[in-house]
Amino acid sequence: MEDFRQQFLTVSVITLKNLQRNLSNEAELPEAQRREIFRTLHTIKGTAQTFGFSAASRVAHELENVISVGNVLAYKDFQSLFAEGIEYLISSVENHNFQLPAQFVEKVHRIIPQDKKTAAEIDIILPHVPNEIFENLSRTEKIALDSAFAAGKSFYIIEVGLAMESFTVELKEFQKTLNTAGEVAAVFPGAKFDSKDKIGFRLVYVSSAEKTQVEKIAKPYAATIIFDVAPEVFTDDLRGIVSKAAAHGKNLARKLDKSIEFVISADWQEQSAAKLKLIFDILLHLVRNAVDHAAEKSGGKIEITAQPKKNGLQIIVADNGKGVDTGKIKAKAIEKHIISADADLTERTTLDLIFQSELSTAPQITEISGRGIGLDAVRNAVEKAGGTISVNSRTGQGTSFEIFLPS
């Protein structure tokens, strides 16, 4: 199967160009189309974060802002601003190093009501970096490392002890040697060496070279690889997709300072490229929702199951969080005029309201949640594929989403 990152880029560019074409052909933006654009942008944003495309994720977030306040602009002004943003988003998925012009962000933020303004910065991070290293990396270093990792490079931490009287020269030489096959991203103090005349360093290193080649380069300096991890590669099977969704969840949990255990269960089953993309999009939204809303700061657990069933595939995403607060859901639905204040709803009907478009109980809009789009996007995708989705929740015990996709 085509590399999934490249497939994401190809599909995203086609989707964005179609959005742009449809927008220019309309006299006004119908509500149904606005919601569809919102869902598409939300999915692109989350997937871009997963692959380390920070620029694309940033632009998608700003375009969500444009869509959310489109009704406060003259339609021609809205069309112009949105078309400009789409061009930037296309550039950002085609060019990994794209920089969003500050003038565009300023224009968007000038028209956003104060209570809708959100931090536009995104932390793209590696789930594998040991905490003692991760905590000392700058934001720029984190993004650079994650971009290198997403581009298929391996990640190493190399420890070396250098003579006290000449360590500046030796360290410079060692870095220069390493850079012939990769890039030294950061340097930190290393372990204390037994010899009093040596000083230790740890080098954070990314390279496309095999581990044996890196070891060969490090050997003349008596340096040791104390940690390494190869980039995760999308495989053309079900388990590969589930694993990638779980990796994204780990990234997000670390960003939110949450300790969450991920448990996955999936067969090494091949699926069509289209079905794998659908499954990944579904899992991406459900995992983000579970990490942000359900899991507590510590002791969190999220289980992802994907198993073949008769005539299809069953997917379950379950957490051990506090459960859905149906009282808050009903109150928000009344506030959004989705239901009337005197509506007599069963527990099941109230719970199903979480799939309603633009209904969210998050206190504010963030890069992760607050727009009420994620679960609506999941239901929409599942139903388009002819499948079904249901949610079960118990206060203090957790929530589970069960999906069935026909073969």
Side-chain angles (χ1 to χ4, degrees):
M1 187 184 75
E2 180 187 15
D3 179 82
F4 212 90
R5 284 189 296 269
Q6 186 59 46
Q7 185 186 48
F8 161 69
L9 291 173
T10 302
V11 173
S12 295
V13 170
I14 292 172
T15 300
L16 297 176
K17 288 181 177 177
N18 285 337
L19 284 176
Q20 190 178 34
R21 188 181 306 112
N22 292 338
L23 183 66
S24 61
N25 292 337
E26 292 283 350
E28 60 182 24
L29 188 65
E31 180 61 19
Q33 187 183 8
R34 187 180 78 87
R35 290 181 180 179
E36 185 64 27
I37 292 173
F38 223 137
R39 292 188 193 104
T40 301
L41 289 170
H42 201 69
T43 298
I44 288 173
K45 180 176 73 173
T47 310
Q49 284 180 310
T50 302
F51 291 131
F53 296 117
S54 56
S57 183
R58 166 80 182 276
V59 184
H61 179 71
E62 294 301 345
L63 276 171
E64 284 183 333
N65 286 333
V66 173
I67 286 290
S68 69
V69 296
N71 60 340
V72 304
L73 289 171
Y75 189 66
K76 285 186 178 179
D77 293 338
F78 164 75
Q79 279 187 313
S80 175
L81 188 61
F82 188 77
E84 182 182 357
I86 286 291
E87 285 298 324
Y88 290 142
L89 190 44
I90 290 172
S91 296
S92 69
V93 297
E94 292 179 334
N95 177 8
H96 196 71
N97 297 315
F98 176 80
Q99 294 293 321
L100 178 63
Q103 299 94 320
F104 177 75
V105 178
E106 290 169 2
K107 279 193 286 186
V108 174
H109 287 190
R110 275 200 302 270
I111 65 166
I112 299 175
Q114 189 64 36
D115 63 347
K116 286 182 179 260
K117 285 189 178 179
T118 62
E121 293 190 341
I122 310 162
D123 285 328
I124 306 296
I125 53 179
L126 289 168
H128 307 285
V129 182
N131 285 335
E132 65 270 20
I133 295 294
F134 174 81
E135 291 170 359
N136 289 294
L137 290 170
S138 69
R139 182 176 182 276
T140 301
E141 288 169 337
K142 292 173 188 174
I143 293 174
L145 283 172
D146 203 49
S147 296
F149 196 74
K153 295 182 179 180
S154 295
F155 174 88
Y156 300 92
I157 297 176
I158 302 173
E159 191 163 75
V160 63
L162 303 173
M164 186 73 72
E165 69 276 5
S166 58
F167 76 88
T168 53
V169 175
E170 289 185 26
L171 181 60
K172 186 176 180 179
E173 289 179 352
F174 186 37
Q175 287 181 269
K176 186 177 179 180
T177 302
L178 286 171
N179 286 340
T180 60
E183 181 182 0
V184 176
V187 180
F188 299 108
K192 292 181 180 179
F193 281 78
D194 292 336
S195 175
K196 293 182 180 180
D197 61 350
K198 283 195 174 184
I199 183 170
F201 292 94
R202 284 182 177 176
L203 294 86
V204 178
Y205 182 62
V206 288
S207 175
S208 299
E210 296 289 336
K211 184 178 179 180
T212 53
Q213 184 180 347
V214 176
E215 288 173 331
K216 187 177 180 179
I217 293 171
K219 188 175 181 180
Y221 296 86
T224 305
I225 296 174
I226 62 171
F227 180 87
D228 69 284
V229 60
E232 293 182 47
V233 178
F234 263 106
T235 55
D236 56 352
D237 57 57
L238 189 59
R239 188 173 179 84
I241 295 300
V242 173
S243 297
K244 191 64 179 180
H248 176 71
K250 292 174 186 177
N251 270 350
L252 193 57
R254 174 177 265 174
K255 176 180 178 180
L256 298 177
D257 192 28
K258 292 185 175 183
S259 176
I260 302 175
E261 176 190 3
F262 282 81
V263 179
I264 65 172
S265 176
D267 287 351
W268 298 97
Q269 185 189 52
E270 293 187 3
Q271 299 276 349
S272 69
K275 179 62 73 68
L276 287 175
K277 185 179 186 306
L278 170 64
I279 295 168
F280 180 73
D281 287 347
I282 289 169
L283 289 177
L284 183 69
H285 287 300
L286 292 181
V287 167
R288 288 168 68 86
N289 181 76
V291 171
D292 191 35
H293 292 293
E296 302 295 336
K297 287 290 183 182
S298 62
K301 185 177 182 180
I302 295 175
E303 297 183 65
I304 308 173
T305 304
Q307 300 291 349
K309 294 292 181 181
K310 185 178 180 181
N311 300 322
L313 180 73
Q314 182 187 58
I315 300 171
I316 299 174
V317 177
D319 65 72
N320 66 343
K322 55 191 175 184
V324 177
D325 188 331
T326 52
K328 281 187 178 180
I329 292 292
K330 186 173 181 180
K332 184 61 70 170
I334 293 172
E335 178 188 321
K336 293 281 187 179
H337 305 292
I338 295 172
I339 61 173
S340 62
D342 59 354
D344 184 18
L345 305 180
T346 64
E347 188 79 4
R348 165 53 52 193
T349 305
T350 304
L351 193 58
D352 285 343
L353 288 171
I354 64 174
F355 295 111
Q356 288 290 324
S357 176
E358 298 183 39
L359 192 150
S360 174
T361 58
Q364 62 183 8
I365 295 173
T366 68
E367 290 288 342
I368 303 164
S369 65
R371 299 189 190 273
I373 299 299
L375 294 180
D376 172 46
V378 171
R379 181 179 65 175
N380 186 265
V382 170
E383 291 180 350
K384 277 187 176 180
T388 59
I389 182 170
S390 62
V391 57
N392 293 288
S393 183
R394 296 185 66 181
T395 303
Q397 296 186 37
T399 303
S400 66
F401 290 86
E402 184 171 331
I403 294 164
F404 178 79
L405 297 174
S407 300

